[in-house]
Amino acid sequence: MEVFVAQLINGLSLGSVYVLLVTGFNLLLLVALVIHFSYPQVVVLSMYAAWMTLRAASDHPGLAVLAALFASVLLSLATAPLFQKITQRKGRVDVNITMVVSLGIGMIIGDLLSRVVNNGFPVAFPPPLTGSGPVIHVGLVSVSWGQIAALVGGVVIVGSVFLILYTTRQGRAFRAIAEDPVGALLAGIPVASAGLRSHALAGVVGGVTAVILAALMGFASPGLGEQVAHKVLAVSIIAGLGHLGGGLVVGLCLGVLEALVQGYVSGTWSNAVAFVLMLVVVLLRPRGLFGSKV
Amino acid sequence: MPLPLYYYLAVTAVNVLMTWALYLPYRVAHLHFLPVANMAISAYVAAHLVMQQAFPWGLALAVGFALGFALGLLVSLFVGDAPTFSVVIVGFTFLFITRTVIENIAAFGGPLGLFDLPYIGSSPAAHRHLLLAVLYGLVILVGFLLWRFDHSGLGRAASATFADRGLATSLGVDTGRLGAMLQTASCTVAGGCGVLYGFIYRSLHPDFFGFQLVGLFLTILFVGGYATPWGPVVAAPVLYGIPLLFPAAIAQWRVVVYGVALILVLLSKPDGLVTRDAVRSLEARLRHGGKT
């Protein structure tokens, strides 16, 4: 029972990270009409920005958080014109081309991280960000500061995104574009600038996720973005592309399922769980469990 | 033959073949990455058969092709007419499932991979010559079949499907069958390529068949031009060869260069460097003895 509870806590915190990532991914898909496959690579780059700041600023956690946020928003905004040019040319979501451009961005980020920072070796985050030990420890069950940050951060950030989407004028514009981009344009909504704002918002979500991921895992590596990218895709596909609520449910469930497999099955089979599930869903329900929004 | 030249020629041939394997399903707008997973599966199975089961290499190569065909056909029954994004996802999914399975199979060397694959010729030189002969024979055969396909009714049906799937269906094109056929052909080529790839390096590692390899093939396809088989023929030797001419300090940045080239070409020349119009115009010139 203790193993189950411990893995449940691990799974919920991992699931919260998936939920955060898939929320940013879906936001870009719905409003900016971009399938940003390399969004998790942007998050990992922001983790590295936080690590470098910690080293330069004597392990000051506040500055590291700011650095991660700044890097994520800056990179999201810097890459936005690339996607906007494609979308404007085609006038619709071009799955293949936006995905290939995003893969190109991912190739550049991954290779830069594996050559420039720390000679390509994984970087470890110090206790000011990860906490010096478990906050709660009962038998096999221990809860770390990173897990608390993931659970609380997940609720606060996803809650804030939903609040923006459903209670603000900007959120209404976002939802209108997600529903019908051409109709939104005819109704006078500035689709291009709303897309840019969605990149900025996804950047903020990405920056916070980077800090949470750093606190939760305690390390970052150049290959981490690639691994996480496929999990995010898995969550998004299983839920239904662009379905924000579905992403929330599936992200949490997948995190828990993976953690349980990790707890009870030897080897690295937990990685396959998400992909086998995704394969079954794609083959049997191509529009996902909750239905695709695009 | 100097070793660097051998590796350049062999890897270029594999790159051309694998980019053609991606080119084929892209003729109906399917960005299919299953061939890269097929490459890994066939490479590992063939290496295992030759090393542990004493299979002759030729038979192992045939098994590689057959595995590619079988898996390609099986998956194409589900995604032959699926939306583009589903096809992309299925490909990536297989890539990662394959990797996880390989890493957990002891007979495949687990996460460490397989080393010291045997020579397929009587000496290292014979091994290299035989591999190059098979590779370039395959390039000529597949290239010829692609040329025939592009100039056939099926090729025109594929072009119509790429331009407008709904319209192609209205015109009587069975888009599901066509997609399944192209996916199966693509996976068959990739199965054989995987075996050859493994025996070029004489070692296999799960990292060989990852994101970077997909990125390389995509770069060759989109920079060269996705609308004609000549695009990969032009882009593969150049993209793989140019970094080799630079000093090691610069050559190590080739993935960044590939990424930048990919993005710049997609933004400035979305059809790639070798377009169908350019090929048609060249063919017309050749037909009229250089006069236009």
PDB file of all heavy atoms in Angstrom, chain B residues 30 95 116 143 181 205 207 281:
ATOM      1  N   HIS B  30       1.486  12.595 -46.470  1.00  0.00           N
ATOM      2  CA  HIS B  30       1.675  11.878 -45.204  1.00  0.00           C
ATOM      3  C   HIS B  30       3.135  11.974 -44.782  1.00  0.00           C
ATOM      4  O   HIS B  30       4.010  11.428 -45.458  1.00  0.00           O
ATOM      5  CB  HIS B  30       1.300  10.400 -45.355  1.00  0.00           C
ATOM      6  CG  HIS B  30      -0.165  10.157 -45.278  1.00  0.00           C
ATOM      7  ND1 HIS B  30      -0.750   8.991 -45.727  1.00  0.00           N
ATOM      8  CD2 HIS B  30      -1.188  10.920 -44.808  1.00  0.00           C
ATOM      9  CE1 HIS B  30      -2.062   9.059 -45.533  1.00  0.00           C
ATOM     10  NE2 HIS B  30      -2.347  10.214 -44.983  1.00  0.00           N
ATOM     11  N   LEU B  95       8.505   4.780 -33.322  1.00  0.00           N
ATOM     12  CA  LEU B  95       9.935   5.056 -33.118  1.00  0.00           C
ATOM     13  C   LEU B  95      10.300   4.893 -31.642  1.00  0.00           C
ATOM     14  O   LEU B  95      11.307   4.279 -31.291  1.00  0.00           O
ATOM     15  CB  LEU B  95      10.222   6.477 -33.603  1.00  0.00           C
ATOM     16  CG  LEU B  95      11.647   6.825 -33.972  1.00  0.00           C
ATOM     17  CD1 LEU B  95      12.163   5.915 -35.051  1.00  0.00           C
ATOM     18  CD2 LEU B  95      11.721   8.268 -34.447  1.00  0.00           C
ATOM     19  N   ASP B 116      30.693  -5.157 -33.075  1.00  0.00           N
ATOM     20  CA  ASP B 116      31.447  -6.177 -33.823  1.00  0.00           C
ATOM     21  C   ASP B 116      30.570  -7.045 -34.715  1.00  0.00           C
ATOM     22  O   ASP B 116      30.688  -8.279 -34.708  1.00  0.00           O
ATOM     23  CB  ASP B 116      32.231  -7.070 -32.850  1.00  0.00           C
ATOM     24  CG  ASP B 116      33.548  -6.431 -32.468  1.00  0.00           C
ATOM     25  OD1 ASP B 116      34.035  -5.592 -33.274  1.00  0.00           O
ATOM     26  OD2 ASP B 116      34.071  -6.750 -31.390  1.00  0.00           O
ATOM     27  N   GLY B 143      15.360   4.254 -57.513  1.00  0.00           N
ATOM     28  CA  GLY B 143      15.263   5.489 -58.304  1.00  0.00           C
ATOM     29  C   GLY B 143      14.469   5.253 -59.583  1.00  0.00           C
ATOM     30  O   GLY B 143      13.604   6.051 -59.949  1.00  0.00           O
ATOM     31  N   MET B 181      -0.438   1.783 -50.047  1.00  0.00           N
ATOM     32  CA  MET B 181       0.570   1.241 -50.961  1.00  0.00           C
ATOM     33  C   MET B 181       1.901   1.996 -50.806  1.00  0.00           C
ATOM     34  O   MET B 181       2.975   1.391 -50.711  1.00  0.00           O
ATOM     35  CB  MET B 181       0.060   1.400 -52.394  1.00  0.00           C
ATOM     36  CG  MET B 181       0.770   0.551 -53.394  1.00  0.00           C
ATOM     37  SD  MET B 181       0.283   1.040 -55.053  1.00  0.00           S
ATOM     38  CE  MET B 181       1.354   2.410 -55.349  1.00  0.00           C
ATOM     39  N   HIS B 205      23.224   0.955 -32.009  1.00  0.00           N
ATOM     40  CA  HIS B 205      22.908   1.545 -30.704  1.00  0.00           C
ATOM     41  C   HIS B 205      21.535   2.202 -30.816  1.00  0.00           C
ATOM     42  O   HIS B 205      21.228   2.780 -31.871  1.00  0.00           O
ATOM     43  CB  HIS B 205      23.982   2.573 -30.331  1.00  0.00           C
ATOM     44  CG  HIS B 205      23.868   3.056 -28.923  1.00  0.00           C
ATOM     45  ND1 HIS B 205      23.053   4.088 -28.569  1.00  0.00           N
ATOM     46  CD2 HIS B 205      24.448   2.611 -27.782  1.00  0.00           C
ATOM     47  CE1 HIS B 205      23.134   4.265 -27.259  1.00  0.00           C
ATOM     48  NE2 HIS B 205      23.983   3.389 -26.762  1.00  0.00           N
ATOM     49  N   ASP B 207      20.493   4.909 -29.876  1.00  0.00           N
ATOM     50  CA  ASP B 207      20.595   6.340 -30.207  1.00  0.00           C
ATOM     51  C   ASP B 207      20.753   6.594 -31.706  1.00  0.00           C
ATOM     52  O   ASP B 207      20.529   7.716 -32.168  1.00  0.00           O
ATOM     53  CB  ASP B 207      21.793   6.978 -29.484  1.00  0.00           C
ATOM     54  CG  ASP B 207      21.489   7.257 -28.026  1.00  0.00           C
ATOM     55  OD1 ASP B 207      20.311   7.144 -27.642  1.00  0.00           O
ATOM     56  OD2 ASP B 207      22.430   7.572 -27.268  1.00  0.00           O
ATOM     57  N   SER B 281      11.354  21.257 -66.862  1.00  0.00           N
ATOM     58  CA  SER B 281      12.016  22.127 -67.827  1.00  0.00           C
ATOM     59  C   SER B 281      13.337  21.506 -68.272  1.00  0.00           C
ATOM     60  O   SER B 281      13.687  21.545 -69.450  1.00  0.00           O
ATOM     61  CB  SER B 281      12.200  23.499 -67.177  1.00  0.00           C
ATOM     62  OG  SER B 281      13.389  24.054 -67.485  1.00  0.00           O
TER      63      SER B 281
END
